[in-house]
């Protein structure tokens, strides 16, 4: 039985090697034979700083920044409408202060069901002033908010990647205001 397994393993390795070789050959096809040209173009593009990818652009320039108490800063990096009927807002919660800060409990909001699930960004809302509607953070079937949870303090100079999910405003609505307790509100553009 072990001989059979070894033979099968060898055949599998040969097949894998052939498949990898074919994949590399296909990936190299379609050019004019100058394999160095794409690398040079990519390097030149990065060197000049032109045409950054979406992720590079988001990291460099947030959609908006919301200032909170004691040096807390929320940098919103994306707000994307998903096919499932919701909007996901991503960002970084940063401590711009010079000492560790407790995360204000007010960020969780004041709804009993959300509060019982611990510290979160459950108090966040999206406001569609054009449609005159307010959208609250979604919850799962157990009442837990669909947002970053479980944080209590943030050290000086550190940042924490955060997300929040909301019901999606109508497809014609792309500009909304993000509101978070103890923070100034900010306008964001929904993509997708």
């Amino acid at each position: 039985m072990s001989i059979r397994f070894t033979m099968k393993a060898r055949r599998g390795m040969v097949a894998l090697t052939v498949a990898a070789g074919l994949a590399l050959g296909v990936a190299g096809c379609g050019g004019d034979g100058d394999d160095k040209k794409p690398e040079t173009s990519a390097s030149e593009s990065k060197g000049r700083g032109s045409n950054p990818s979406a992720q590079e652009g988001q990291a460099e320039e947030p959609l908006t920044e919301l200032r909170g108490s004691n040096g807390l800063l929320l940098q919103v990096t994306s707000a994307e409408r998903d096919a499932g009927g919701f909007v996901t807002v991503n960002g970084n919660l940063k401590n711009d202060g010079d000492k560790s800060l407790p995360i204000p409990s007010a960020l969780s909001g004041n709804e009993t069901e959300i509060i019982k699930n611990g510290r979160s960004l459950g108090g966040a809302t999206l406001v569609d002033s054009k449609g005159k509607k307010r959208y609250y953070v979604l919850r799962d079937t157990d009442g837990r908010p669909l947002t970053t949870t479980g944080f209590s303090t943030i050290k000086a100079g550190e940042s924490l990647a955060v997300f929040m999910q909301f019901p999606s405003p109508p497809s014609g609505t792309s500009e909304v205001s993000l509101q978070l307790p103890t923070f100034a509100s900010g306008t964001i553009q929904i993509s997708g």
Side-chain angles (χ1 to χ4, degrees):
M1 186 176 226
S2 64
I3 293 174
R4 234 186 223 172
F5 177 76
T6 304
M7 293 301 285
K8 281 186 178 181
R10 284 184 187 160
R11 280 184 278 195
M13 290 301 291
V14 169
L16 182 61
T17 303
V18 170
L22 287 173
L24 289 173
V26 170
C29 289
D32 60 357
D34 187 6
D35 290 339
K36 293 183 181 181
K37 188 174 180 180
E39 282 183 16
T40 305
S41 297
S43 298
E44 287 174 357
S45 175
K46 284 185 179 183
R48 287 180 299 194
S50 63
N51 299 326
S53 72
Q55 287 180 342
E56 288 173 339
Q58 290 171 359
E60 293 173 9
E61 189 174 324
L63 296 176
T64 192
E65 291 185 345
L66 283 63
R67 293 235 171 243
S69 57
N70 299 326
L72 285 177
L73 175 69
L74 176 63
Q75 297 174 317
V76 178
T77 56
S78 69
E80 296 183 14
R81 191 182 316 268
D82 296 314
F86 53 90
V87 169
T88 303
V89 176
N90 291 296
N92 295 302
L93 184 61
K94 185 177 180 183
N95 179 353
D96 266 353
D98 56 359
K99 59 183 176 181
S100 290
L101 292 174
I103 302 296
S105 60
L107 295 182
S108 299
N110 58 8
E111 293 181 45
T112 307
E113 190 156 358
I114 290 181
I115 292 173
K116 74 178 183 181
N117 287 295
R119 226 23 88 81
S120 71
L121 299 176
T125 58
L126 288 183
V127 177
D128 172 9
S129 56
K130 181 180 167 187
K132 298 182 178 163
K133 291 190 177 180
R134 180 180 301 267
Y135 299 90
Y136 293 88
V137 169
L138 291 168
R139 299 178 205 156
D140 67 12
T141 55
D142 293 325
R144 291 184 298 255
L146 298 181
T147 179
T148 306
T149 60
F151 48 85
S152 59
T153 60
I154 187 166
K155 294 180 182 176
E158 287 191 350
S159 63
L160 171 70
V162 295
F163 80 96
M164 298 159 268
Q165 288 186 327
F166 302 91
S168 180
S171 59
T173 301
S174 61
E175 187 175 283
V176 293
S177 176
L178 176 63
Q179 297 180 346
L180 188 62
T182 75
F183 281 74
S185 62
T187 302
I188 58 175
Q189 294 288 327
I190 300 173
S191 62

